[in-house]
Amino acid sequence: MAAAVEMNSVLDESMKDVFDWSDAKTPVRDAIWNHFMDADNHDTDKTADEVAPYMTMDEAKLKDEVTKLLKA
């Protein structure tokens, strides 16, 4: 039997509630998606592949990776 994947609730919180460097109300999940959609010229398939690892990261790693990705 496969192990159940626990959803990371941080993904559904707004950027401003998770990161002190952001004032965006956008959910973290959407901010990641939007970043890759823009970078991939709106190629949904490519974006889905790039976003997938973020959906299963533990909270600490997710926060670190999103900071590296999105902090201006």
Side-chain angles (χ1 to χ4, degrees):
M1 175 179 257
V5 175
E6 184 176 326
M7 295 302 290
N8 190 332
S9 65
V10 170
L11 289 167
D12 296 318
E13 293 182 38
S14 69
M15 289 290 292
K16 68 182 182 98
D17 291 341
V18 177
F19 302 102
D20 60 3
W21 48 263
S22 178
D23 60 359
K25 294 180 182 178
T26 307
V28 173
R29 175 188 318 274
D30 293 348
I32 296 167
W33 180 265
N34 294 342
H35 170 81
F36 283 111
M37 279 295 277
D38 290 342
D40 296 334
N41 292 319
H42 299 271
D43 180 333
T44 305
D45 292 333
K46 186 174 180 183
T47 297
D49 290 342
E50 290 182 320
V51 168
Y54 292 87
M55 300 300 113
T56 57
M57 286 181 187
D58 66 61
E59 185 174 322
K61 183 171 182 174
L62 178 68
K63 287 180 179 180
D64 184 51
E65 292 300 317
V66 171
T67 297
K68 289 176 192 174
L69 187 68
L70 302 177
K71 187 174 179 183

